[in-house]
Amino acid sequence: MAVDCGVFVDWSQMGDVSHDAAPGKTEYKDLKELKQHARSGQWAKNHSQRSAVYQQLLKALPCRTVTPDAAVYRDIVGNSNSKRNPSAYPLPEFVDGAAVPCYCLKTESVGSVHAVISCIAGQFPDISYCPSLPAVTALLLHWSADEAQCFESVSRMLACNEPGRRLLDQTFLAYQSACMTFGDLVHKYCPAAHKLMIATATDVLEVYSDWQRWVLGDLPFSFAARVMDVYLVEGYKVLYRVALAILKFYRKQRSGAAGSALTKQDSAAVRSDIQAFVKNIGKSVTPEKLLEKAFSIRLFSRKEITLLQLANEKSLQQRGITVKQKSSIKRQNVQLAVNADNFSSEIVSAKEIRDIWSWIPERYALCQPQLLFTTSTHGCSLNRFYSHCEGYEPTLMLIRTTDGEVCGAFLSTDWEERKRGGNKLSFFGTGECFVFKMKPEMERYEWVVIKHPELANASQAADDEPEQTGANDNGGPQALEKPATEPSQLSPFLSARHFNLNSRNTSMFMAGNIDSIIIGGGEGNALYIDSELNHGRTERCLTFDNPPLCAESFQIALLEVWGFKDAMAS
């Protein structure tokens, strides 16, 4: 390459990366080949090739009409490659104290990172929160011929306006909703790691709020560079994947540590422990293994994750949380939302409800529990159950049997939705529903499609089969209503839908009429409750792939339904 793109690099730290080899292939017309080369580390050993590929990728980004380029930087700052004093270019407040990671830069190159970010702050006045910017700028400086080129690269990432695609969070609302979305993804794809977090950290979301820093800041350079390869090709979703993989490896290390008793710690201690693991991840994991793990996680589509992110943003906006405040907006969950002094249930303890709260979607974990219905006060009437629960979304149902067993369900959709089916049982709800048991040990059973996304296509293909039947209060078959809505038009994860469902369908979340309540369906019901709220049945169902949640046939001693009161407004 005619231009030296390694002028800022300390080559003594770069291992076997070639400084002056010919760049090789740098332009790709086949997207599949580009993704394969990015994931496999095709450019990892050739600095010039990686630099040229990055410039091609960044120039191809669709950006706002007025996007500052290298010439703007040269006009404002100049283009010195000599040593700059970082203190002459203080980092803006919107990086929230995030330091510049040195990676494999020369010591004096840190001043150049400061200068680039300082100019970015002047050219992008709308940025209010972007703690990942120092790491991204430092990384891109490795493959830049000068500061001006680095400035243009970062500017294009910030100015990208492709619909449905973002590369960097630029507001506190976007950043915080991404943290909540990551927490939701951990619930679903790293249940063992989530259990570890619940057992060891006093505030789980405070730990998860570091997820971007793990990837962009804490990872060693050889890992961060490989992540950047796929990040520029495939977008923001890659960051979620890598952070989930990091958490999986961290849990594996913790579970394998000799004599590692799980004790509750201040969240800051857990955060420090994870940070130390990430910074030293090379002792136990290679970059190849990290990416292999990341791409083995069968995440929902980009569309589904975007919908989840938007739902989390809406929840924050409704609570007036759009900018960072001095009083941190930690998740009001296990310690804050469930206040032992105010919480009183005849079925579960404050500790147990905190554990259940750790399972629910992050946007609802900002709320505190509110008792809506209990058979001990309102009696054993399905009509009264509906009258007290309608208008609330979501709800949490708790059941204690006469044998002392405890089970329940998180139900994402207002029970009033059942009225669309008249008095015929019609399934509705979303993929956020789950069922659980409390004893002999706590266990949650989520929508089976989360772990087996291929089942969603299979069940949709089978929707043309004859009517699904559900159990009536005598255990006999009862026809379910035919659909009023075309399922394929809506999100199976976040949108309530009515189905014409066959008996092998995996999307039967909740149903109810004057005769019974059913939760989970498909060759069985996770929970069936009769009209007198007295007798119930539980068995394996396809929707949640659960075992019986208690004795298969049971008598109900007590049933409670809890809603979600806005903890921020109380």
Side-chain angles (χ1 to χ4, degrees):
M1 228 178 171
V3 179
D4 183 1
C5 293
V7 66
F8 300 101
V9 174
D10 178 356
W11 285 97
S12 66
Q13 300 183 55
M14 293 289 282
D16 58 354
V17 176
S18 172
H19 180 191
D20 49 15
K25 183 166 186 172
T26 60
E27 295 187 25
Y28 292 84
K29 294 182 180 179
D30 182 354
L31 179 59
K32 186 176 180 180
E33 182 187 22
L34 174 63
K35 289 175 68 172
Q36 193 274 327
H37 280 196
R39 292 189 184 189
S40 64
Q42 186 76 18
W43 320 310
K45 301 299 183 185
N46 189 321
H47 193 81
S48 297
Q49 183 181 25
R50 182 180 257 157
S51 174
V53 171
Y54 280 14
Q55 295 310 312
Q56 292 291 333
L57 291 172
L58 291 163
K59 285 180 180 178
L61 283 177
C63 293
R64 299 197 293 255
T65 304
V66 180
T67 298
D69 59 12
V72 171
Y73 185 86
R74 294 187 185 102
D75 288 343
I76 296 172
V77 185
N79 199 28
S80 172
N81 289 336
S82 60
K83 183 176 180 180
R84 290 189 188 273
N85 185 350
S87 62
Y89 302 92
L91 295 178
E93 287 188 11
F94 64 62
V95 305
D96 197 28
V100 174
C102 290
Y103 292 124
C104 293
L105 294 174
K106 297 173 182 175
T107 304
E108 58 267 26
S109 298
V110 173
S112 294
V113 178
H114 278 246
V116 170
I117 294 174
S118 178
C119 192
I120 288 284
Q123 294 299 304
F124 289 84
D126 292 340
I127 299 177
S128 58
Y129 199 77
C130 191
S132 296
L133 191 60
V136 170
T137 306
L139 279 169
L140 290 177
L141 193 63
H142 287 75
W143 301 286
S144 299
D146 52 29
E147 293 172 357
Q149 186 182 69
C150 181
F151 169 83
E152 180 171 326
S153 297
V154 178
S155 293
R156 294 193 67 81
M157 291 181 71
L158 291 167
C160 176
N161 62 357
E162 181 180 340
R165 182 179 187 183
R166 78 183 192 285
L167 290 170
L168 289 167
D169 295 323
Q170 298 175 46
T171 66
F172 184 71
L173 178 64
Y175 175 85
Q176 189 63 30
S177 63
C179 291
M180 293 168 66
T181 301
F182 178 72
D184 288 326
L185 295 175
V186 175
H187 296 181
K188 299 180 186 309
Y189 300 108
C190 306
H194 187 57
K195 279 186 179 180
L196 175 65
M197 293 300 105
I198 295 167
T200 56
T202 54
D203 189 325
V204 178
L205 186 63
E206 190 176 350
V207 175
Y208 294 157
S209 67
D210 288 340
W211 76 277
Q212 285 193 29
R213 191 188 69 187
W214 301 340
V215 182
L216 297 172
D218 291 340
L219 276 177
F221 175 76
S222 60
F223 289 78
R226 290 289 304 277
V227 171
M228 184 62 79
D229 290 347
V230 286
Y231 175 40
L232 290 177
V233 172
E234 301 187 42
Y236 195 94
K237 187 177 173 182
V238 166
L239 302 183
Y240 284 132
R241 285 188 174 280
V242 174
L244 291 170
I246 287 171
L247 206 55
K248 283 177 174 283
F249 281 119
Y250 172 74
R251 185 209 66 86
K252 183 177 180 181
Q253 185 224 44
R254 280 296 307 270
S255 62
S260 57
L262 298 182
T263 56
K264 209 81 165 178
Q265 305 177 63
D266 181 78
S267 299
V270 179
R271 293 168 71 186
S272 296
D273 193 46
I274 295 177
Q275 183 178 35
F277 169 77
V278 177
K279 287 187 173 182
N280 294 284
I281 195 170
K283 294 180 179 179
S284 55
V285 180
T286 63
E288 289 73 23
K289 286 291 183 184
L290 180 65
L291 290 180
E292 181 182 318
K293 176 71 74 176
F295 285 102
S296 70
I297 300 170
R298 303 180 69 180
L299 285 184
F300 281 128
S301 67
R302 182 189 296 178
K303 175 186 174 183
E304 294 288 353
I305 292 176
T306 299
L307 286 170
L308 186 56
Q309 174 106 5
L310 291 173
N312 285 331
E313 282 191 11
K314 183 178 179 181
S315 175
L316 290 168
Q317 287 173 323
Q318 289 172 340
R319 290 163 176 78
I321 302 168
T322 57
V323 296
K324 186 169 186 183
Q325 300 150 347
K326 289 185 179 178
S327 55
S328 73
I329 69 114
K330 298 175 184 177
R331 170 185 182 156
Q332 308 274 326
N333 73 337
V334 286
Q335 295 301 314
L336 299 178
V338 184
N339 188 320
D341 295 333
N342 299 328
F343 176 78
S344 178
S345 166
E346 298 179 71
I347 298 180
V348 295
S349 66
K351 179 187 180 302
E352 288 170 327
I353 197 70
R354 286 171 183 160
D355 289 338
I356 294 170
W357 232 240
S358 72
W359 288 333
I360 66 176
E362 294 290 346
R363 63 188 183 280
Y364 301 126
L366 293 167
C367 307
Q368 61 185 348
Q370 175 184 7
L371 185 62
L372 303 178
F373 174 85
T374 171
T375 51
S376 66
T377 300
H378 303 108
C380 297
S381 163
L382 190 52
N383 283 333
R384 284 197 287 275
F385 168 94
Y386 288 137
S387 66
H388 283 274
C389 297
E390 285 174 5
Y392 291 90
E393 180 180 296
T395 54
L396 179 73
M397 180 187 293
L398 299 173
I399 298 169
R400 189 179 75 223
T401 73
T402 53
D403 292 331
E405 296 177 291
V406 175
C407 61
F410 173 80
L411 303 167
S412 63
T413 305
D414 189 342
W415 278 106
E416 194 163 14
E417 189 81 10
R418 80 189 190 286
K419 293 178 180 177
R420 294 193 184 187
N423 192 38
K424 291 185 176 181
L425 278 171
S426 175
F427 279 98
F428 57 98
T430 77
E432 289 191 318
C433 293
F434 61 82
V435 295
F436 58 89
K437 62 179 181 179
M438 300 295 290
K439 297 174 182 178
E441 63 179 31
M442 292 183 63
E443 195 65 51
R444 173 182 57 162
Y445 303 95
E446 294 188 286
W447 185 28
V448 67
V449 173
I450 290 171
K451 291 183 178 178
H452 301 284
E454 70 279 0
L455 293 176
N457 296 330
S459 64
Q460 281 186 8
D463 280 344
D464 295 330
E465 295 186 16
E467 288 182 331
Q468 157 70 12
T469 58
N472 62 22
D473 59 344
N474 295 316
Q478 179 169 312
L480 293 181
E481 183 202 19
K482 292 190 176 183
T485 309
E486 177 60 41
S488 62
Q489 294 176 350
L490 297 170
S491 158
F493 188 58
L494 292 172
S495 298
R497 304 187 297 174
H498 288 263
F499 300 92
N500 176 21
L501 298 173
N502 66 84
S503 62
R504 294 189 299 279
N505 201 287
T506 57
S507 297
M508 299 172 177
F509 302 114
M510 50 194 290
N513 61 8
I514 61 173
D515 297 317
S516 63
I517 290 170
I518 291 177
I519 299 165
E523 300 183 359
N525 303 127
L527 284 170
Y528 163 84
I529 299 170
D530 69 6
S531 61
E532 296 179 349
L533 306 185
N534 177 48
H535 174 75
R537 200 168 56 247
T538 177
E539 53 199 340
R540 178 185 176 273
C541 74
L542 292 182
T543 298
F544 301 114
D545 193 25
N546 58 284
L549 302 176
C550 56
E552 292 193 25
S553 180
F554 59 87
Q555 294 292 120
I556 297 173
L558 190 63
L559 184 149
E560 294 177 348
V561 179
W562 293 81
F564 292 74
K565 185 178 180 181
D566 188 346
M568 302 298 295
S570 60

